[in-house]
Amino acid sequence: MLSYVGARLLHAVPVLFLSSVVVFLFIRLVPGDPAVTMAGPNATPGQVAALRHLYQLDRPLAVQYLTWLGHLARGDLGLSYTTRRPVADLVAQRLPATLHLAVGTLLVMLVVGGPLGILSAVRPRWAVSHAITLLNAIALATPTFWLGILLLLLFAVSLGWFPPSGFVSITENPLQSIRLLVLPCLTLGASGTAILIRFLRASMSEVMHADFIRTAHAKGLRERVIVIRHILRIAALPVVTVLAVQFGYLLGGAVITEAVFGWPGVGRLTLDAIGNRDYLIVQAMMLFFVAVFIAVNVAADLCYAALDPRIRLAR
């Protein structure tokens, strides 16, 4: 297993390198000049040129890329064009909020989607299963920003049950942190829960007709034991993939939800950096997103081997 993880990490190096090239080039295709944005609308051409020279934006693209790559290899993400603060500090400041949101949303998906998916697979003809299917369709068709605004108006403005915005670390004030997390996590978790239910139901339905399940029934095992120990363990394999992709997406930053709830996460940081043409922040965040997806995919592969001993990781 260690050799497998090492091989996957080695394979991630060229992926990160190619991603860095693509991100570096594409961000410079965005219309606008960082020097003009920093100088302001009343700046003279000389002031804009001075800023462009100060931040080395007047150098050839190849030189700029190699300079950035050299600093990146030393762990230096550079200084933000707009705040003159280290990019690493800005990311570290915003990352805890995104981690809170990602973990909270994942818990919502597991707590709500897991039991409902199992129920709809085990009892597909029940009225509850048909209601779950209908709610799934509604959740998948509902825009995230609309659901967030609706929850905000209902539970924060009208009823006053939850605060409308803000972030508090769970280590500082657990109760207030959970109250602030409820609405954003429900907003993000709605579509993710619907996806989880669909995958879990389809996977369990397929496993339930396997020969070893019929053998387990013939041996007289209780249905609960068959579902938990046999069906769910095998059916969880595609679900792990769904959870890994969703977690990577959440760590990448849910920009719309963060904007609706004023959540100070990395998604909001990236969006602001794009608007300000802050190249170094955007480049750092894009590489962070790629690294997160690589990491969660490796973790998903390891979970496959743990759930199903028949799977052997390629060396």
Side-chain angles (χ1 to χ4, degrees):
M1 186 171 294
L2 290 176
S3 61
Y4 169 79
V5 174
R8 288 297 298 269
L9 293 179
L10 287 177
H11 293 162
V13 174
V15 175
L16 288 173
F17 173 74
L18 292 176
S19 300
S20 68
V21 175
V22 172
V23 169
F24 182 87
L25 294 177
F26 268 82
I27 188 60
R28 280 156 178 78
L29 295 177
V30 178
D33 189 340
V36 175
T37 304
M38 287 183 288
N42 299 322
T44 63
Q47 292 173 329
V48 173
L51 283 174
R52 192 177 290 114
H53 179 73
L54 175 64
Y55 290 98
Q56 302 180 0
L57 296 173
D58 54 351
R59 294 187 175 186
L61 289 180
V63 176
Q64 294 184 46
Y65 173 75
L66 292 176
T67 301
W68 172 66
L69 195 63
H71 288 289
L72 186 65
R74 298 194 298 269
D76 181 13
L77 300 179
L79 298 177
S80 168
Y81 293 159
T82 54
T83 63
R84 296 299 297 163
R85 293 181 57 191
V87 174
D89 292 347
L90 294 174
V91 175
Q93 182 182 0
R94 300 292 190 98
L95 191 57
T98 299
L99 283 173
H100 280 67
L101 189 59
V103 173
T105 303
L106 203 65
L107 288 176
V108 169
M109 292 173 57
L110 289 173
V111 171
V112 179
L116 293 181
I118 295 173
L119 177 62
S120 61
V122 176
R123 298 289 185 269
R125 297 182 180 180
W126 280 15
V128 176
S129 299
H130 295 297
I132 292 172
T133 302
L134 177 61
L135 291 176
N136 271 4
I138 295 174
L140 291 173
T142 303
T144 302
F145 73 90
W146 184 86
L147 179 61
I149 294 174
L150 181 65
L151 294 178
L152 194 62
L153 292 175
L154 179 60
F155 294 105
V157 178
S158 299
L159 299 177
W161 290 357
F162 301 102
S165 62
F167 167 72
V168 176
S169 175
I170 198 167
T171 57
E172 297 177 6
N173 191 334
L175 181 60
Q176 182 66 8
S177 178
I178 293 174
R179 294 183 71 242
L180 288 166
L181 278 167
V182 169
L183 296 183
C185 289
L186 288 178
T187 301
L188 280 177
S191 60
T193 300
I195 294 172
L196 178 62
I197 291 173
R198 285 195 170 189
F199 270 84
L200 187 57
R201 177 176 181 173
S203 182
M204 288 186 65
S205 299
E206 182 179 352
V207 176
M208 287 170 63
H209 296 90
D211 292 338
F212 71 94
I213 299 300
R214 285 194 290 267
T215 303
H217 280 291
K219 289 181 177 180
L221 294 179
R222 298 169 59 185
E223 185 179 19
R224 180 180 301 178
V225 175
I226 295 174
V227 171
I228 296 177
R229 293 187 180 180
H230 300 282
I231 298 176
L232 190 58
R233 185 170 183 176
I234 302 301
L237 294 178
V239 175
V240 169
T241 303
V242 174
L243 292 176
V245 172
Q246 289 294 318
F247 189 68
Y249 161 73
L250 293 170
L251 278 183
V255 177
I256 296 176
T257 303
E258 290 183 0
V260 170
F261 292 96
W263 198 260
V266 294
R268 187 73 179 272
L269 175 66
T270 306
L271 184 63
D272 293 341
I274 293 174
N276 294 327
R277 308 300 187 271
D278 205 330
Y279 292 161
L280 295 180
I281 293 180
V282 178
Q283 291 166 190
M285 293 313 306
M286 292 299 105
L287 283 184
F288 171 74
F289 299 159
V290 173
V292 164
F293 273 97
I294 292 174
V296 296
N297 280 321
V298 173
D301 290 344
L302 298 179
C303 290
Y304 293 160
L307 290 171
D308 191 349
R310 297 174 300 176
I311 297 177
R312 293 292 180 265
L313 299 178
R315 295 182 179 274

